[in-house]
Amino acid sequence: MALATTSAPLGSPKTYAVDPAVKRYTLMDLGFIKTKNGNFQLERSLDPNSPYTAANKLRITFKADLTAFQMGVTTGNGLKAVNIFKTDKTAENVEQFNYIVAELIDRQVIKLA
């Protein structure tokens, strides 16, 4: 998946866009890590009980100049995209996803498209 100005995880009913007010320092404050090629990446576990289990992960990557990003939910090892929105078994994952996204919206990192 390439970096774009809008993105949505597999199966998500909502699409998100880069907030024009996003700042590099805000990303670092929220736990984004700078990659070797200058991009900023965040990986968060969607397990509400323990952030250290090999549960589904939310992965967000911002382009180095903060003009584009990608967002996805993957398996614990990060190799396969997962649709957490299709079954009730992953309701806790959806709740954790919404909590993380709400924080990113509040901090003006992303916005609803």
Side-chain angles (χ1 to χ4, degrees), residues 87 94 100 108:
T87 66
V94 173
I100 294 169
Q108 296 180 328

Side-chain angles (χ1 to χ4, degrees), residues 40-86:
F40 295 93
Q41 187 171 36
L42 175 74
E43 280 191 10
R44 289 282 188 254
S45 172
L46 294 179
D47 184 357
N49 300 319
S50 173
Y52 304 110
T53 59
N56 295 332
K57 292 181 183 178
L58 171 64
R59 181 180 288 166
I60 302 172
T61 304
F62 269 88
K63 193 173 176 181
D65 63 1
L66 306 180
T67 59
F69 81 116
Q70 81 178 36
M71 171 188 271
V73 177
T74 63
T75 57
N77 59 9
L79 296 177
K80 184 178 177 188
V82 177
N83 183 354
I84 60 171
F85 300 97
K86 69 178 180 178

Side-chain angles (χ1 to χ4, degrees), residues 7 9 12-13 20 24-25 32 40 46 55 65-66 80 89 96 112:
S7 183
S12 175
R24 181 176 308 232
Y25 301 109
F32 281 81
F40 295 93
L46 294 179
D65 63 1
L66 306 180
K80 184 178 177 188
K89 293 179 183 178
Q96 189 72 12
L112 287 171

